[in-house]
């Protein structure tokens, strides 16, 4: 079972989220064990101080290293996994991708550290964290939302988390491409029809159409992904025949 410990100043931010459908059920089924810890509980002074002024001056506050080190040490004594990854969530980190998610679930213990204020004392990144991860090129006010993004992405990859593994197989088949469009009933809504091929019952044609749609979308919306995607000769032929002006 994968164990995830989250160190945060706002554990209550997670509770509703972690009990929601897939993640809540995964925890019930003991596919994942997620534990929240308040960094403030690892302070020793009267005011439970977690932040302080930046050396060198400047605006804002910086999170102190000591409660974070102590929180990690507490968690590591509780769960003595050999291959624990200690992840600091920060906009300075390596970009989180599906590929990195796959690597993270290879181990069985992950500690996520959520920062706040203007930043975290650099000694946490240098001497405690094994990884620094960013979920995208934008600034959040804290690492909590980033931690939830990562937890969501990891948990749905765990065996047993999602009812049918068929959807995961389908996703990995799409590897590196955007998804094709999906439709459900009714077959016509406000005059907009579901593409005929999807109603045809011809599975081979449907598969071809879907692949062509994925390629077309990726080429027009995210051409950067095509370089990394696993494309067959047939895919490359399809791509050549795609009219990008008609999407
Ligand atoms: N903390 C603030 N912004 C962040 C981001 N983009 N990714 C991860 N952690 C963050």
């Amino acid at each position: 079972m994968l164990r995830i410990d989250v160190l945060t100043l706002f554990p209550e931010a997670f509770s509703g989220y972690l009990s929601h459908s897939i993640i809540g059920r995964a925890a019930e089924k003991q596919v994942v064990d997620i534990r929240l810890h308040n960094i403030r509980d690892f302070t020793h002074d009267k005011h439970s101080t977690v932040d302080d002024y930046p050396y060198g001056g400047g605006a804002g506050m910086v999170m102190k290293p000591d409660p974070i080190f102590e929180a990690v040490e507490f968690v590591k004594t509780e769960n003595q996994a050999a291959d624990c990854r200690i992840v600091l969530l920060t906009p300075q980190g390596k970009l989180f991708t599906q590929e990195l998610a796959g690597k993270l679930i290879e181990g069985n213990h992950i500690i996520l550290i959520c920062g706040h204020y203007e930043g975290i004392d650099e000694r946490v990144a240098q001497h405690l964290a094994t990884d620094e991860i960013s979920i995208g090129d934008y600034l959040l006010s804290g690492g909590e939302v980033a931690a939830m993004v990562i937890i969501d992405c990891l948990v749905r990859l765990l065996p047993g988390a999602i009812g049918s593994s068929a959807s995961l197989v389908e996703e990995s088949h799409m590897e590196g491409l955007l998804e094709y469009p999906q439709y459900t009933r009714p077959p016509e809504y406000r005059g907009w029809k579901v593409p005929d091929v999807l109603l045809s019952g011809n599975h081979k044609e449907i598969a071809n159409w879907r692949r062509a749609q994925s390629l077309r979308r990726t080429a027009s919306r995210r051409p950067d992904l095509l370089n990394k995607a696993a494309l067959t000769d047939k895919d490359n032929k399809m791509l050549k025949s795609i009219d990008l002006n008609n999407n």
Side-chain angles (χ1 to χ4, degrees), residues 2-4 83-89 94-112 130-133 150-151 153-155 157-158:
L2 177 64
R3 170 160 163 167
I4 304 176
D83 59 350
C84 178
R85 309 243 334 216
I86 304 170
V87 176
L88 178 61
L89 297 158
K94 179 175 179 183
L95 198 59
F96 185 64
T97 58
Q98 196 67 38
E99 191 186 346
L100 181 50
K103 295 222 176 87
L104 288 175
I105 58 161
E106 283 171 9
N108 51 27
H109 190 198
I110 300 170
I111 301 175
L112 299 174
T130 59
D131 301 79
E132 290 178 73
I133 297 182
I150 290 174
I151 291 170
C153 187
L154 298 186
V155 169
L157 288 175
L158 297 173

Side-chain angles (χ1 to χ4, degrees), residues 10 14 89-92 95-96 113-120 133-150:
F10 302 101
F14 290 81
L89 297 158
T90 161
Q92 277 81 51
L95 198 59
F96 185 64
I113 305 172
C114 305
H116 249 272
Y117 311 116
E118 293 309 303
I120 300 187
I133 297 182
S134 162
I135 62 160
D137 291 335
Y138 36 77
L139 283 178
L140 302 168
S141 52
E144 283 73 19
V145 173
M148 286 187 248
V149 166
I150 290 174

Side-chain angles (χ1 to χ4, degrees), residues 2-70:
L2 177 64
R3 170 160 163 167
I4 304 176
D5 287 87
V6 185
L7 312 188
T8 168
L9 290 172
F10 302 101
E12 63 283 358
F14 290 81
S15 54
Y17 183 72
L18 293 182
S19 52
H20 100 290
S21 62
I22 288 181
I23 299 184
R25 251 176 284 135
E28 267 170 33
K29 286 194 281 185
Q30 307 200 344
V31 166
V32 67
D33 178 9
I34 303 174
R35 303 188 188 201
L36 302 169
H37 308 270
N38 194 330
I39 294 169
R40 207 173 285 282
D41 293 342
F42 296 88
T43 55
H44 303 290
D45 64 314
K46 198 166 77 192
H47 301 289
S48 305
T49 312
V50 291
D51 59 342
D52 208 335
Y53 296 100
Y55 274 123
M61 301 294 272
V62 175
M63 281 176 76
K64 291 162 64 61
D66 31 330
I68 300 175
F69 272 79
E70 288 192 31

